[in-house]
Amino acid sequence: MSLIPWFRWNEAPPRLSSRSPAEMVLETLMVELEGQMREAERQQWERSNAVRKICTGVDYSWLASAPRPTYDLSPGERLQLEDVCAKIHPSYCGPAILRFRQLMAEQEPEVQEVSRLFRSVLQEVLERMKQEEEAHKLTRQWSLRPRGSLATFRSRARITPFASDIRTISQDVERDAPPPPRTWSMPEFRAQKED
């Protein structure tokens, strides 16, 4: 028998995050952007080293490691992106990240183009959110719409399958004749005349 479960009585209970879901979405999306920017920068540096190695025929990268230039967002651009990220609903955070990674893999952009690509993905997600919200609103309006019952329909219109407003010759001839008795297998429907 293990005594480990007995020693856990003095551990602190797990804490729930005090941050709101919007803050967590904002942080998650911005961390993803920064990670993709670092990856794009690394790939760009490797491509330039490969080109340099092909041109010179000699690889001196092992000898001297030049400091890599780091690209950073301007404060204004960062604030704009954070503002757009704050509008993203938590349920759309995962699909937004997946779409961003997909576009990064397809296009392999330069470091300077990553933020533009990220902004386009966020705009795409906001449009999808807006469309789904409008569809949900229409569905809700449709489900809350009062429906007429069969009784109100029955009182508004009577079904007359054989009645017509067009006078025929047979009606003129049979006008003076008494109406034949109704067949019991066929119901009689009459339209109400509106005044």
Side-chain angles (χ1 to χ4, degrees), residues 72-93:
D72 199 17
L73 295 172
S74 68
E77 188 175 12
R78 177 175 287 281
L79 286 175
Q80 288 174 352
L81 287 173
E82 287 177 354
D83 184 46
V84 176
C85 287
K87 296 176 184 175
I88 303 292
H89 191 269
S91 63
Y92 291 90
C93 182

Side-chain angles (χ1 to χ4, degrees), residues 39-139:
E39 181 62 24
E41 193 171 33
R42 185 187 64 75
Q43 288 177 356
Q44 186 177 352
W45 185 76
E46 286 178 358
R47 282 192 299 260
S48 66
N49 276 347
V51 168
R52 192 176 314 124
K53 182 179 175 182
I54 290 172
C55 291
T56 61
V58 181
D59 182 19
Y60 289 113
S61 63
W62 61 272
L63 182 59
S65 60
R68 297 181 189 173
T70 56
Y71 178 78
D72 199 17
L73 295 172
S74 68
E77 188 175 12
R78 177 175 287 281
L79 286 175
Q80 288 174 352
L81 287 173
E82 287 177 354
D83 184 46
V84 176
C85 287
K87 296 176 184 175
I88 303 292
H89 191 269
S91 63
Y92 291 90
C93 182
I97 290 174
L98 290 176
R99 178 69 177 145
F100 181 51
R101 288 179 182 174
Q102 178 187 12
L103 289 177
M104 288 292 293
E106 289 173 0
Q107 298 181 7
E108 295 182 2
E110 299 292 322
V111 180
Q112 297 82 6
E113 299 170 352
V114 173
S115 63
R116 177 191 54 80
L117 190 64
F118 184 65
R119 184 187 311 271
S120 70
V121 168
L122 293 178
Q123 293 298 330
E124 197 176 293
V125 169
L126 286 175
E127 283 296 318
R128 189 177 324 131
M129 282 175 49
K130 185 177 174 184
Q131 290 172 353
E132 289 181 10
E133 182 179 324
E134 288 175 0
H136 182 67
K137 188 186 301 181
L138 286 174
T139 304

Side-chain angles (χ1 to χ4, degrees), residues 45 73 137 144 154 165 169:
W45 185 76
L73 295 172
K137 188 186 301 181
L144 295 177
R154 197 177 309 143
D165 292 339
I169 296 175

